[in-house]
């Protein structure tokens, strides 16, 4: 079959994000921050206090880091050496779902099962040593309300997690109880942070000029250092990091695919921005648009992922063999080269829109931090597979920064902070006890 040209054009139009559109998003994002700083209930973002500022870079010692928030859980034993240096002493990683074996995040799973699994991984990392004292930093990458650095209550699951008995609970209480059940009394959780906060801490431990940390992966979210907030219960330097939970930013215009997907998602109405930009969701939008092109509207292509989109976009060969392979195996159609080209264009458009919207949110924060003054030279620290591996993302962020910031774009770039969500937890633990 050959795709209907009009339909294709229409779909491509849905995914375009012009300079005017992203400028409006950046400006609305800034306004939403301003509203939230005055009264958080008037912002569409949660803007959660983290009770931590920036590290000095001098934090040292051995700490455990539990990194929980995506498809894999990691527990890492770090040695912080100061001057931005650190070493991994031991590293254990396991998926939260193994098809046919176990699933700790699906509807039937319980808090106890999930946290027992985490305790087991911690036990593996300390190699059964139930004597030596360990302080643990916990990167828990979901919206949590805190009243100090160690007390974090899960407000609501995001990223389609659905384990029962965790929402509304203090996560480190659940963890401590699971450690006890396993006979581990020597591991003390001392800090809970969001993964964006972890990335910011990790990047700021190693570099100067870092005020914004972001995750661009399965989920999407950003935090920044707000200099005006001080709290006696906070630790670290110069203000407090706010976890924006900007996946929930609402002041932007979704297209018809965004709206249709939201309605059938695990939590309709929530995380509208994240559902437009992150890896977990871009592939859903992609699948829905392909279904329209194939006159199979409403059909869901199981197993079509962001990794497939990345393979499709990377295939620049004449016959688009890779694209053809992916579409045949995941969508069940053998298509002509002209249609395969359109599929590649579509994947690119979805990714480019995502990168441009994410950049607009960074610019909103940069404008807000600058206030009436000059934008200071800075790096926005980012971690996550979409930022790191998805073709077109980094160059489109750079381009959009140029469009929105003009000459000031020289002062701003994004840098990859690989593994920051683990290292940041160890740094937070050090900041909590030192
Ligand atoms: C989701 C979570 C947020 C996290 C982000 C990236 O948006 O709500 O807390 O930072 O995913 O993992």
């Amino acid at each position: 079959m050959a795709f209907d040209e009009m339909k294709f054009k229409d779909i491509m139009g849905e995914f375009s994000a012009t300079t005017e559109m992203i400028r409006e998003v950046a400006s609305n994002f800034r306004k939403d921050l301003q509203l939230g700083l005055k009264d958080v209930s008037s912002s569409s973002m949660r803007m959660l206090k983290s009770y931590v500022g920036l590290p000095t870079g001098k934090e040292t010692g051995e700490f455990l880091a539990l990194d929980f928030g995506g498809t894999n859980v990691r527990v890492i034993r770090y040695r912080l050496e100061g001057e931005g240096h650190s070493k991994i002493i031991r590293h254990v990683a396991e998926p939260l779902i193994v098809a046919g074996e176990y699933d700790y995040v699906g509807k039937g799973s319980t808090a106890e099962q999930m946290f027992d699994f985490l305790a087991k991984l911690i036990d593996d990392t300390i190699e059964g040593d139930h004597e030596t004292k360990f302080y643990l930093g916990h990167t828990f990458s979901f919206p949590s309300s805190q009243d100090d650095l160690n007390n974090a209550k899960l407000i609501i699951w995001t990223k389609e997690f659905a384990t029962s008995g965790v929402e509304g609970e203090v996560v480190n209480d659940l963890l401590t109880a699971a450690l006890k059940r396993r006979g581990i009394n020597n591991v003390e959780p001392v800090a809970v942070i969001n993964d964006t906060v972890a990335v910011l801490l990790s990047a700021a431990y190693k570099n100067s000029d870092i005020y914004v940390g972001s995750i661009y992966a399965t989920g999407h979210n950003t935090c920044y250092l707000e200099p005006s907030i001080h709290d006696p219960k906070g630790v670290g330097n110069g203000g407090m990091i706010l976890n924006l939970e900007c996946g929930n930013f609402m002041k932007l215009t979704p297209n018809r695919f965004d709206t249709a997907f939201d309605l059938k998602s695990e939590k309709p109405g929530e995380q509208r921005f994240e559902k437009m930009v992150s890896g977990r969701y871009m592939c859903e939008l992609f699948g829905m648009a392909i279904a329209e092109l194939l006159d199979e509207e409403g059909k869901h292509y199981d197993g079509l992922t962001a990794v497939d989109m990345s393979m499709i976009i990377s295939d620049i060969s004449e016959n688009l063999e890779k694209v053809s392979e992916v579409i045949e195996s995941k969508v069940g159609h053998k298509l002509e080269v002209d249609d395969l080209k359109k599929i590649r264009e579509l994947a690119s458009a979805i990714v480019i829109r995502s990168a441009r919207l994410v950049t607009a949110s960074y610019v909103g924060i940069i404008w807000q931090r600058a206030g009436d003054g000059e934008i200071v030279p800075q790096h926005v620290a980012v971690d996550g597979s979409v930022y790191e591996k998805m073709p077109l993302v980094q160059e489109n962020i750079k381009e959009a920064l140029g469009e929105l910031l003009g000459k000031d774009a020289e002062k701003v770039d994004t840098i990859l902070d690989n593994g920051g969500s683990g290292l940041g937890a160890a740094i937070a633990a050090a900041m909590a006890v030192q």
Side-chain angles (χ1 to χ4, degrees):
M1 83 183 275
F3 293 156
D4 181 287
E5 283 296 339
M6 289 293 283
K7 207 187 245 181
F8 178 67
K9 254 202 167 143
D10 171 65
I11 292 174
M12 290 298 284
E14 292 284 334
F15 287 104
S16 89
T18 61
T19 308
E20 291 68 48
M21 280 157 88
I22 59 171
R23 186 174 295 285
E24 196 182 329
V25 173
S27 141
N28 287 342
F29 199 93
R30 179 189 192 174
K31 278 188 214 138
D32 224 21
L33 289 177
Q34 288 170 337
L35 288 173
L37 286 171
K38 285 199 199 104
D39 166 16
V40 81
S41 65
S42 57
S43 168
S44 66
M45 297 181 271
R46 290 196 171 85
M47 299 179 63
L48 301 164
K49 288 186 185 173
S50 67
Y51 292 87
V52 68
L54 295 185
T56 57
K58 298 200 178 90
E59 293 75 7
T60 53
E62 270 192 36
F63 296 92
L64 291 177
L66 164 62
D67 181 9
F68 176 91
T71 36
N72 280 304
V73 189
R74 302 185 303 147
V75 185
I76 307 154
R77 189 169 161 182
Y78 276 104
R79 184 181 308 124
L80 303 181
E81 299 179 331
E83 309 294 331
H85 297 292
S86 61
K87 279 214 172 72
I88 291 180
I89 300 172
R90 200 171 148 76
H91 180 188
V92 171
E94 294 278 348
L96 281 165
I97 307 177
V98 173
E101 273 185 48
Y102 63 79
D103 176 353
Y104 295 116
V105 301
K107 272 216 176 89
S109 56
T110 67
E112 203 170 287
Q113 291 165 339
M114 173 187 264
F115 281 86
D116 280 346
F117 181 63
L118 301 184
K120 179 197 161 293
L121 297 185
I122 292 172
D123 213 0
D124 291 349
T125 313
I126 58 177
E127 297 172 278
D129 173 356
H130 292 183
E131 300 295 325
T132 315
K133 175 86 184 178
F134 293 101
Y135 292 109
L136 176 139
H138 183 177
T139 297
F140 183 74
S141 314
F142 298 92
S144 309
S145 64
Q146 303 196 215
D147 52 21
D148 64 33
L149 181 55
N150 193 36
N151 252 309
K153 203 183 264 182
L154 172 62
I155 301 171
I156 184 172
W157 280 129
T158 51
K159 296 178 278 195
E160 312 296 293
F161 275 49
T163 315
S164 66
V166 191
E167 284 175 333
E169 299 298 322
V170 174
V171 290
N172 269 358
D173 286 355
L174 296 175
L175 181 62
T176 307
L179 289 169
K180 292 235 150 67
R181 283 197 290 278
R182 218 185 150 84
I184 305 175
N185 296 304
N186 54 325
V187 172
E188 187 185 344
V190 290
V192 183
I193 52 174
N194 186 254
D195 50 357
T196 56
V197 177
V199 167
L200 179 50
L201 294 181
S202 156
Y205 187 66
K206 295 175 279 198
N207 313 276
S208 50
D209 303 329
I210 312 256
Y211 313 100
V212 181
S214 183
I215 296 285
Y216 193 179
T218 309
H220 169 65
N221 185 18
T222 304
C223 71
Y224 79 98
L225 181 74
E226 173 52 54
S228 70
I229 301 181
H230 300 276
D231 189 295
K233 284 194 276 172
V235 302
N237 287 329
M240 190 185 287
I241 301 172
L242 291 179
N243 162 20
L244 295 178
E245 286 297 327
C246 64
N248 207 36
F249 177 63
M250 302 277 187
K251 295 172 183 165
L252 76 178
T253 317
N255 70 22
R256 63 186 158 88
F257 296 99
D258 300 320
T259 305
F261 173 73
D262 176 56
L263 286 174
K264 60 177 189 179
S265 67
E266 190 68 54
K267 296 245 159 73
E270 298 284 336
Q271 304 295 102
R272 298 302 300 272
F273 186 50
E274 182 166 68
K275 286 173 186 161
M276 294 167 78
V277 299
S278 80
R280 172 67 184 78
Y281 299 108
M282 274 195 279
C283 52
E284 300 281 353
L285 303 173
F286 183 48
M288 288 169 76
I290 293 178
E292 267 196 20
L293 288 171
L294 289 167
D295 293 327
E296 303 186 322
E297 217 156 317
K299 185 159 178 197
H300 186 260
Y301 306 115
D302 289 332
L304 188 65
T305 64
V307 175
D308 296 322
M309 292 179 79
S310 153
M311 284 197 306
I312 288 173
I313 298 171
S314 310
D315 184 356
I316 48 167
S317 70
E318 207 169 314
N319 298 328
L320 300 185
E321 271 151 31
K322 203 76 220 159
V323 183
S324 176
E325 235 171 68
V326 172
I327 295 301
E328 199 175 348
S329 70
K330 302 282 175 82
V331 176
H333 285 263
K334 183 125 190 75
L335 300 179
E336 299 296 324
V337 171
D338 272 356
D339 284 350
L340 294 172
K341 273 193 189 142
K342 290 196 170 78
I343 294 273
R344 191 181 59 189
E345 258 182 78
L346 173 65
S348 305
I350 294 172
V351 168
I352 292 172
R353 180 184 75 147
S354 159
R356 290 171 68 76
L357 290 174
V358 165
T359 311
S361 72
Y362 295 161
V363 169
I365 300 169
I366 292 166
W367 281 342
Q368 170 57 21
R369 277 187 46 91
D372 296 331
E374 292 263 303
I375 289 175
V376 294
Q378 60 190 294
H379 314 287
V380 174
V382 192
D383 193 13
S385 48
V386 175
Y387 179 74
E388 188 184 354
K389 298 188 186 137
M390 182 68 87
L392 302 174
V393 163
Q394 295 189 19
E395 62 257 48
N396 276 283
I397 291 181
K398 197 166 185 319
E399 203 172 310
L401 280 173
E403 286 166 43
L404 295 176
L405 293 175
K407 194 151 174 26
D408 279 336
E410 281 170 14
K411 298 183 191 165
V412 181
D413 65 2
T414 54
I415 54 168
L416 175 68
D417 193 79
N418 213 337
S421 53
L423 179 58
I427 296 168
M431 291 170 79
V433 299
Q434 283 174 357

